[in-house]
Amino acid sequence: MGNCGCGEKKPPTGKAQISADQQAKINETTNVVKESVKEDVKQAVAEAVKAEEEAEAPPEDGEKKDPKAVEEKKKEAKRKLKKAKKRLSKLEVLERAREVEAMTLDDYNAAICRLHSVTGEDPTNPGKKMSLPEGLEWMNTMLEVLWPSIRKYTETTMFEVVQPAILRAVKAYNVTCNITAFDLGGNSPGFGPISARRVEGLDGKPDGGIEISLGITYRSDMSITIETSLGTIGVQNINFLGTLFIWLRPFVDEMPLCGGLEMAFVNPPTIELDWTGFVGDTMDLTGLQAKVRDIIDSSVSSYCVVPNFITVPMHPSVDPAKLKCPQPEGIMRLTVVGATDLPSTDFGGGCDPFVEVKVGAQTWKTKAVQNTRCPVWNETHDFMIYNKDQWVVINVLDSDINASDLIGCVKHLPANRIVKRGIAEVPLTKDGLPLMGEDEDGDDTPPCTIQLKAQWIQINDSSPADNDRLVSVHLTEVKNIPLGLEAPFKVKATVGTSDQTTKVGIAKPGSWTDSEELLRLIRTQKGMPASEVASMFSLDGHEDIIERALAQQEGEWLMQADSSEGCWWMKNSYMLNWQAFGNEQHAEKDDRVLWCGCAEDKRWPLCPKDELNKRKAYFTAAADLADWHYKATTVMKARKAATEPYFEYVMHLHTTNVEEVKLELLDKNNESVGSTTLVVKDNAVGDAPDLEGPFEIEVKGTKCVINGDITVKSLVVASELPANWNLKADAIDNKEFIAWWKDEVYLEDWHYNKEEGKKWTAVDWRAGKKERAPEEELKKRVNYYMEGADAVIGSGLTPTKEGALMACLKAGAITWGDYDVLVGKLHGEPNIPPMAETIEWVNLLILAMWPNIKAYTEHVVRTKVEPQIAKAAKDAGSSLQMVSLDVSLPKVDLGTKPPHFNTIQVERIAKKNGWGGDYEGMVLTLHNASFVSNINIEVEVKVTTAVGSKVMKLGVKNVVFRGTVKTTMKPMLPTLPMIGALQITMPNPPDLVMDFTGLTDALVDKIPSMNRVVTGTVVDSISGFCCVPNFIVVPMAPKLIKPVELSHPRPMGVLRVTVESALHLVAGDTSITGAKSSDSFVKMRLGTQTFSTSTVTSLDPVWTVNNARDFVVHDMDQNLDLEVFDADGVLGGSDDSLGAVHSKETVV
């Protein structure tokens, strides 16, 4: 965390710089794609060579070669090789464009993601699936367009709602507190990269889940100033960088399809802010910035940095404790061995170093070694690892009585790398520079290093370990705690040398803590003075209500209803409104509580004084009662937490030779008020608990009960890391583990001074070993430099930026739309949209949940839809005077293939709003969304009449649907819902292919054109509903927009298309004399508009009449389709297609 004081102010720079772990995710994308492309080429070459060898090899004895099959195999191998090389050429041109800065990092990442196969398999474990880190520029663009509305609405809410509430809250304390300035600033938050991977469910069960990694960057130029009686307090320039992880698990076959949601940062986020006013001045004078920084960091870590999770249970089958405290992926056993040549920090030349290690929110410190610069610690600690992206942060500090000074540190060391290497010597840094050591004479030595050892300990209950165990202590609540102890309480579990403590117990959520319960307790004290009862139950100041409660019988309400009960103004919302604006000066603020009547569209006159006084008396009493209920509920919650604290917590402890588990109840001062020791043995089968509660514990002579259970699992020191960590494409190639001569400085030394340069030829120039390295080693370095020189230095043949983009376009690495976007950015054109981005993380989420979506949908169809259809059919049969009409669904199978989304893009609609917004709206486009399904649905219809019965089966299967969907959101509003309306359409008719079964299939067999007719009818129906110029309009603020203008928008213009001629058409007709010809005509289509030319009998037709049409263009992404037909003059016959042109480019 950076500056928290009032030092030098940083100017706002718009989008914040991305954090190290976010940059790591982007690097991971590039590494995965490069590796995938190179592997494809390597495999394709091998297959092509093998096919050639097999073709040339003589046949074995008695074997006959099939020349046709051999040739086909060679062709297939060549096709694969050509395809792989094409991907490689795309990668090369993209890298060149990035080198010459023809595209931004976000655009480069978007283009790179397209080269990767859909939902790529993890190369280390084909059973696991993951998505590459992808950009979210489409979401950031939406936020940018929405931000002025959010900014305006937040400012209005702050001054008109929050400010009055603050004034009411502080009024009783004679303190002033006014918000004098509130501005969110012009910089909106930025999101991305985002990625997803499939993970195991809770407790490692194979019930499935998804982990989503989301980068968050926010460099705000916001400013908040509050005037108080003590002085001015202000905050400005809040910066936030971090990667949020979201887990959705386990999947269930009922709504909402997911059992629970967990959120946490696996590494502490970076938070920076500047204080203004007297707080900032005080920090500057007292030097409290570091303290405040530590408090904020510690608070955030304890709330939402693993192993602390924000959880949302979503299904009753999920245990909230296991959601809140999931089982780790494994344990990293880290040994801090020692350090070398540390600089002296103490007077007299020495230091007392110790090491602080942080992994997520876990912190551990070694002992201090006195008066040495080469300390040896050899101390070991076990860290729970919840995610492969967790970092190890190491601080070497000098122990001091007052404060420990930093000597050096290691930041951003990936846990997966250190456990993969096992032993590592890592250079220390300070202030971003290598920490230089000292020898005995005080001269600089090579950079100081710290020596580490690491082991990966895997949770594997199927293979028994020698000693190591993971003990999971699951606690729900403690009951029957006697009154008089100091709450809140915690429970501490100790197993061997390991111990862990729960968070403080609370009142059980959902338990009855209503004020009525306190009323019953109060009424048991009848005869006591109200003041004593108030003191007994912490209700000082409410003696009048207590007196009323003591006087009333149980069930009677504290405030008697008056004759006004049932009036329109007797609502809680009006009471709050009265407290905020309870005078005539605020009547213009739509304060209807001051009016004679209530209507949405009519202004009523103000009430007479006597009526207002009556309402005031009611609202005052109601506010008093509301205060009573709030305080009473608070008292009861505290009482519940003190006598029956609820934890719902799981403590995971790593130990050896577990036999006993000690549970202690700790009070407010962390002192033990009772304990019990339990004997546990690892004898359970599967995931069943090894010891189930309740457990008795004696507290101050009272027997209390602890509800929970204990599970023991085996731990094994693993030789390999988890397969789904995907280490082949690891995030950052950390410089701590890169050979010194790979640094760009030495590459430049080699490049410019091949004869004279000496540094790169040394054994280890950085360590002072300047003698020449062996020739074999030098050859290896030269090969490395030759491969990397062009990327780092440049070859001297650098193309222009536009030339690099044109090369990408020609290679097929980007589309024409991408090219226009990128060139527009190079020229600095305003409001250029981001490139269309892949959303494989969405596809992976749908893929992972598809079995559950399928099961739930089929269940709903069977239990709800099918009975309704059957009932409707039965009613229809009765109305048609049939004996019966029965409809059933014998087959309902959604198949195994879920929908798939290709790319997404957001464009701004640049037009100033009357209220000051920067944009009129935005357009979100889902490009080429597809549903290539193996669905199989069959409907059986049984018609029974007086004559007999007939059964018909109609079905559809193997549906393929593709189309682009556009959603226009406009206008932007300064109030909720911030968007006036949604305008949804498809710029072009969708592509639809499907197979029929049953009666429909029989008709298709007899009439070949039937499939086309039915499919065309379905497409026409869809087009007539939502294909331009038809729009689906969803009003969000119907009073502020005109839906008619959105459902019938003004077109962009008119496109005139003239068909002149065609050459070498296929013959569709043969005359008696054998002459071949076609009765040719052209059918054109743009959206729902169609046109057919006149018919010309010729294989090279020329159209001179009825050959032109003006098409109205509504969208720049509309495509023009043309198809040539041979007109069939036979009655009932269908026209035969001779060929079609489906435009890949838009008409604009």
Side-chain angles (χ1 to χ4, degrees):
M1 184 176 157
N3 177 37
C4 286
C6 297
E8 182 181 352
K9 304 296 184 295
K10 297 175 284 296
T13 59
K15 185 178 177 181
Q17 72 277 18
I18 61 174
S19 62
D21 52 347
Q22 293 167 20
Q23 180 61 57
K25 289 287 183 184
I26 294 174
N27 293 346
E28 181 180 348
T29 299
T30 308
N31 293 341
V32 168
V33 173
K34 284 181 179 179
E35 187 174 318
S36 172
V37 170
K38 291 176 182 177
E39 187 64 31
D40 283 353
V41 174
K42 184 178 178 181
Q43 186 176 349
V45 169
E47 289 183 8
V49 171
K50 185 179 179 182
E52 288 286 349
E53 291 176 349
E54 289 179 354
E56 295 174 1
E60 297 181 2
D61 296 339
E63 181 186 2
K64 289 185 178 180
K65 279 190 175 183
D66 184 353
K68 191 174 181 180
V70 171
E71 190 62 29
E72 186 60 36
K73 191 172 182 180
K74 285 173 63 178
K75 287 182 179 179
E76 180 62 25
K78 288 180 180 179
R79 279 196 294 267
K80 285 186 178 180
L81 181 59
K82 184 178 180 180
K83 184 178 178 181
K85 286 184 175 180
K86 189 173 182 179
R87 285 187 74 203
L88 183 60
S89 66
K90 290 180 181 180
L91 179 64
E92 290 171 347
V93 294
L94 285 174
E95 288 185 322
R96 173 60 67 185
R98 175 60 188 151
E99 287 168 19
V100 300
E101 299 180 350
M103 57 174 62
T104 65
L105 185 61
D106 290 328
D107 292 333
Y108 172 73
N109 188 50
I112 280 289
C113 284
R114 297 184 199 172
L115 293 181
H116 191 63
S117 58
V118 174
T119 313
E121 292 282 350
D122 186 316
T124 60
N125 185 353
K128 296 286 182 182
K129 295 195 174 184
M130 58 177 293
S131 74
L132 289 178
E134 299 166 300
L136 281 176
E137 284 307 295
W138 62 271
M139 184 182 292
N140 295 332
T141 303
M142 290 183 70
L143 263 176
E144 180 187 341
V145 175
L146 279 167
W147 194 248
S149 299
I150 296 172
R151 183 179 180 182
K152 184 73 175 179
Y153 173 75
T154 307
E155 181 181 351
T156 303
T157 304
M158 186 60 62
F159 286 109
E160 295 188 0
V161 179
V162 178
Q163 172 87 313
I166 293 175
L167 292 176
R168 291 197 308 270
V170 302
K171 186 177 181 180
Y173 302 98
N174 294 321
V175 176
T176 60
C177 183
N178 293 318
I179 302 174
T180 57
F182 184 90
D183 184 7
L184 283 184
N187 297 340
S188 59
F191 294 94
I194 188 170
S195 63
R197 66 170 181 138
R198 301 188 73 163
V199 294
E200 295 175 333
L202 300 174
D203 285 339
K205 294 179 181 178
D207 48 1
I210 280 285
E211 173 194 274
I212 298 174
S213 164
L214 174 64
I216 304 173
T217 62
Y218 185 33
R219 186 169 186 182
S220 168
D221 54 339
M222 73 181 301
S223 177
I224 304 173
T225 304
I226 302 175
E227 297 285 349
T228 70
S229 303
L230 302 175
T232 302
I233 304 172
V235 175
Q236 63 183 20
N237 299 338
I238 298 177
N239 293 342
F240 185 96
L241 296 172
T243 299
L244 178 67
F245 282 76
I246 303 167
W247 291 266
L248 298 171
R249 58 184 175 184
F251 297 137
V252 295
D253 293 343
E254 301 175 5
M255 290 301 289
L257 301 177
C258 179
L261 180 146
E262 305 161 87
M263 293 185 292
F265 294 90
V266 299
N267 299 301
T270 299
I271 305 172
E272 301 175 351
L273 67 157
D274 294 332
W275 297 94
T276 60
F278 79 91
V279 174
D281 296 338
T282 303
M283 287 185 179
D284 285 343
L285 294 173
T286 59
L288 289 175
Q289 290 95 335
K291 287 286 185 183
V292 173
R293 181 168 59 245
D294 290 343
I295 290 171
I296 294 176
D297 285 347
S298 177
S299 299
V300 172
S301 293
S302 64
Y303 179 64
C304 58
V305 176
V306 291
N308 303 302
F309 294 81
I310 301 171
T311 60
V312 181
M314 300 166 67
H315 194 271
S317 65
V318 174
D319 186 341
K322 294 180 180 178
L323 195 67
K324 187 190 303 181
C325 308
Q327 179 178 290
E329 291 197 20
I331 295 170
M332 178 182 69
R333 177 168 290 168
L334 182 68
T335 300
V336 179
V337 180
T340 56
D341 300 324
L342 298 178
S344 57
T345 57
D346 295 338
F347 182 76
C351 58
D352 307 319
F354 70 95
V355 177
E356 177 186 67
V357 183
K358 296 181 179 180
V359 180
Q362 305 169 81
T363 301
W364 168 70
K365 297 177 182 179
T366 68
K367 295 178 181 178
V369 181
Q370 302 298 317
N371 196 27
T372 178
R373 290 188 295 104
C374 296
V376 176
W377 292 285
N378 269 331
E379 293 187 38
T380 302
H381 186 75
D382 294 336
F383 292 93
M384 303 284 182
I385 302 298
Y386 292 84
N387 185 274
K388 73 183 184 71
D389 293 315
Q390 282 187 264
W391 288 338
V392 179
V393 177
I394 300 173
N395 294 319
V396 181
L397 302 112
D398 178 33
S399 179
D400 203 342
I401 296 175
N402 298 321
S404 299
D405 300 321
L406 179 68
I407 299 174
C409 63
V410 179
K411 293 184 177 180
H412 307 158
L413 179 61
N416 55 27
R417 285 187 171 273
I418 189 170
V419 295
K420 184 179 180 182
R421 285 165 176 78
I423 300 175
E425 185 169 2
V426 186
L428 294 170
T429 63
K430 188 174 184 181
D431 299 326
L433 299 173
L435 179 67
M436 306 306 295
E438 296 178 0
D439 58 20
E440 295 180 356
D441 299 326
D443 296 330
D444 286 347
T445 65
C448 304
T449 59
I450 185 168
Q451 295 82 41
L452 307 170
K453 290 182 181 179
Q455 280 184 314
W456 178 250
I457 301 176
Q458 182 177 331
I459 302 168
N460 188 353
D461 210 26
S462 60
S463 57
D466 296 331
N467 293 312
D468 290 299
R469 296 287 192 274
L470 181 71
V471 180
S472 298
V473 182
H474 174 201
L475 299 179
T476 55
E477 59 188 343
V478 180
K479 291 193 171 184
N480 303 331
I481 297 177
L483 290 171
L485 299 177
E486 293 190 74
F489 296 103
K490 303 176 186 176
V491 175
K492 179 181 178 181
T494 304
V495 184
T497 58
S498 299
D499 63 74
Q500 193 176 344
T501 305
T502 66
K503 294 185 177 181
V504 296
I506 60 173
K508 186 175 182 179
S511 62
W512 193 36
T513 56
D514 192 77
S515 55
E516 283 291 322
E517 190 170 354
L518 184 59
L519 280 176
R520 286 198 297 274
L521 290 175
I522 289 174
R523 291 187 182 116
T524 61
Q525 309 300 322
K526 283 192 174 184
M528 289 181 62
S531 58
E532 292 184 17
V533 177
S535 178
M536 179 184 299
F537 294 104
S538 303
L539 287 170
D540 298 309
H542 293 270
E543 287 81 1
D544 57 335
I545 296 182
I546 290 175
E547 286 180 356
R548 194 183 305 175
L550 292 171
Q552 287 178 320
Q553 298 300 316
E554 186 166 349
E556 289 185 289
W557 198 239
L558 289 177
M559 186 175 68
Q560 298 296 330
D562 58 21
S563 59
S564 303
E565 186 173 7
C567 291
W568 62 267
W569 49 266
M570 296 181 67
K571 293 181 181 179
N572 190 53
S573 59
Y574 290 123
M575 182 187 76
L576 298 176
N577 202 25
W578 176 278
Q579 292 173 337
F581 310 114
N583 57 70
E584 296 181 13
Q585 295 177 359
H586 292 87
E588 294 302 317
K589 292 184 178 293
D590 195 29
D591 186 14
R592 286 174 287 152
V593 74
L594 300 177
W595 303 349
C596 287
C598 174
E600 294 291 338
D601 57 351
K602 183 178 179 181
R603 297 291 296 183
W604 294 80
L606 291 177
C607 289
K609 287 291 183 181
D610 57 343
E611 175 67 17
L612 287 179
N613 290 333
K614 179 182 177 181
R615 295 182 189 180
K616 181 178 180 180
Y618 178 86
F619 290 141
T620 303
D624 196 15
L625 183 62
D627 184 45
W628 149 263
H629 281 296
Y630 172 76
K631 194 164 186 179
T633 302
T634 303
V635 168
M636 285 309 300
K637 283 186 177 180
R639 186 184 180 93
K640 290 277 187 181
T643 57
E644 297 180 0
Y646 178 80
F647 298 97
E648 205 60 74
Y649 201 82
V650 181
M651 293 176 281
H652 300 289
L653 299 102
H654 174 211
T655 186
T656 57
N657 294 325
V658 56
E659 291 185 359
E660 294 182 344
V661 176
K662 183 180 180 182
L663 300 179
E664 295 178 87
L665 185 66
L666 306 181
D667 64 9
K668 179 181 179 181
N669 303 314
N670 287 328
E671 294 183 359
S672 177
V673 296
S675 65
T676 184
T677 300
L678 307 170
V679 178
V680 184
K681 291 186 178 180
D682 185 5
N683 55 10
V685 178
D687 293 307
D690 294 278
L691 187 64
E692 293 191 73
F695 312 121
E696 285 191 357
I697 179 173
E698 187 170 318
V699 178
K700 302 297 182 183
T702 302
K703 286 189 177 181
C704 303
V705 173
I706 299 179
N707 290 327
D709 55 66
I710 299 174
T711 305
V712 181
K713 291 191 176 182
S714 299
L715 296 174
V716 179
V717 177
S719 57
E720 295 184 359
L721 298 180
N724 61 347
W725 277 19
N726 189 31
L727 292 179
K728 286 187 179 180
D730 213 344
I732 352 182
D733 204 359
N734 217 320
K735 287 197 173 183
E736 284 90 352
F737 302 108
I738 298 179
W740 66 272
W741 49 267
K742 290 185 178 181
D743 193 289
E744 293 177 9
V745 172
Y746 302 106
L747 190 155
E748 292 178 11
D749 174 59
W750 166 82
H751 186 268
Y752 293 115
N753 305 283
K754 289 187 177 180
E755 300 300 327
E756 298 83 6
K758 295 181 179 179
K759 293 181 181 179
W760 69 273
T761 64
V763 171
D764 190 343
W765 184 272
R766 187 178 289 172
K769 300 175 182 178
K770 300 179 180 179
E771 59 273 19
R772 187 178 177 86
E775 290 302 318
E776 287 299 319
E777 171 67 17
L778 294 180
K779 286 181 181 179
K780 181 174 75 171
R781 297 182 190 179
V782 169
N783 289 336
Y784 176 84
Y785 292 151
M786 290 180 68
E787 290 178 3
D790 185 53
V792 179
I793 309 297
S795 63
L797 300 174
T798 303
T800 63
K801 292 180 180 181
E802 287 193 36
L805 294 178
M806 180 55 70
C808 292
L809 180 63
K810 290 180 177 179
I814 60 175
T815 65
W816 270 107
D818 298 330
Y819 177 80
D820 292 338
V821 166
L822 295 172
V823 170
K825 287 184 178 181
L826 290 180
H827 293 169
E829 296 177 13
N831 300 317
I832 295 295
M835 282 177 55
E837 297 172 296
T838 55
I839 45 175
E840 285 305 306
W841 63 277
V842 174
N843 294 325
L844 181 60
L845 178 61
I846 296 173
L847 176 66
M849 298 184 71
W850 187 247
N852 307 91
I853 296 172
K854 177 177 179 289
Y856 173 74
T857 306
E858 291 172 1
H859 172 74
V860 169
V861 170
R862 290 292 186 197
T863 58
K864 295 183 179 180
V865 177
E866 187 174 10
Q868 291 178 5
I869 293 175
K871 184 178 182 302
K874 189 174 181 179
D875 295 341
S878 300
S879 65
L880 295 173
Q881 297 182 349
M882 298 178 181
V883 175
S884 67
L885 177 62
D886 301 314
V887 178
S888 61
L889 301 173
K891 291 182 182 179
V892 179
D893 183 5
L894 290 187
T896 57
K897 299 177 180 179
H900 177 267
F901 298 100
N902 189 8
T903 56
I904 189 171
Q905 189 174 28
V906 173
E907 301 174 65
R908 310 170 187 88
I909 303 175
K911 182 181 178 183
K912 287 282 184 179
N913 286 300
W915 54 270
D918 295 330
Y919 304 99
E920 183 189 9
M922 53 189 158
V923 181
L924 185 147
T925 305
L926 276 172
H927 296 282
N928 297 322
S930 63
F931 187 28
V932 184
S933 169
N934 52 353
I935 190 173
N936 190 351
I937 297 177
E938 190 173 87
V939 180
E940 183 178 282
V941 181
K942 183 178 181 181
V943 181
T944 304
T945 65
V947 179
S949 62
K950 178 70 174 179
V951 177
M952 295 176 290
K953 290 186 178 181
L954 309 170
V956 64
K957 64 179 181 179
N958 301 332
V959 176
V960 178
F961 182 94
R962 293 188 179 90
T964 295
V965 180
K966 283 194 167 189
T967 302
T968 302
M969 293 168 262
K970 68 177 185 180
M972 296 292 108
L973 305 173
T975 59
L976 290 177
M978 299 185 187
I979 297 173
L982 303 180
Q983 185 190 57
I984 306 168
T985 189
M986 303 182 75
N988 301 292
D991 297 327
L992 178 65
V993 178
M994 53 186 173
D995 297 332
F996 298 102
T997 60
L999 178 63
T1000 315
D1001 188 38
L1003 289 174
V1004 169
D1005 287 339
K1006 293 178 181 179
I1007 310 174
S1009 62
M1010 176 64 73
N1011 191 317
R1012 178 173 178 170
V1013 171
V1014 174
T1015 303
T1017 302
V1018 175
V1019 171
D1020 289 342
S1021 300
I1022 296 172
S1023 299
F1025 178 61
C1026 61
C1027 183
V1028 290
N1030 303 301
F1031 298 84
I1032 301 172
V1033 177
V1034 182
M1036 307 286 285
K1039 292 186 177 181
L1040 302 176
I1041 63 160
K1042 295 180 180 178
V1044 175
E1045 294 182 358
L1046 293 173
S1047 58
H1048 299 84
R1050 182 179 178 180
M1052 295 178 63
V1054 176
L1055 176 73
R1056 175 167 293 173
V1057 181
T1058 302
V1059 180
E1060 295 182 348
S1061 62
L1063 294 173
H1064 312 309
L1065 296 180
V1066 177
D1069 301 322
T1070 304
S1071 66
I1072 299 176
T1073 60
K1076 295 182 180 296
S1077 67
S1078 287
D1079 299 323
S1080 311
F1081 72 93
V1082 178
K1083 185 175 182 179
M1084 297 184 285
R1085 180 167 191 160
L1086 183 73
T1088 57
Q1089 305 167 80
T1090 59
F1091 170 73
S1092 297
T1093 67
S1094 57
T1095 301
V1096 176
T1097 303
S1098 174
L1099 297 182
D1100 299 306
V1102 177
W1103 289 274
T1104 56
V1105 295
N1106 195 26
N1107 63 336
R1109 169 66 189 268
D1110 292 339
F1111 291 99
V1112 179
V1113 179
H1114 283 81
D1115 192 285
M1116 62 183 300
D1117 287 333
Q1118 285 186 265
N1119 292 347
L1120 178 68
D1121 294 335
L1122 302 96
E1123 190 165 6
V1124 183
F1125 288 91
D1126 171 35
D1128 196 332
V1130 181
L1131 183 64
S1134 61
D1135 301 324
D1136 300 321
S1137 175
L1138 302 179
V1141 177
H1142 297 290
S1143 171
K1144 293 184 179 180
E1145 305 304 329
T1146 60
V1147 295
V1148 177

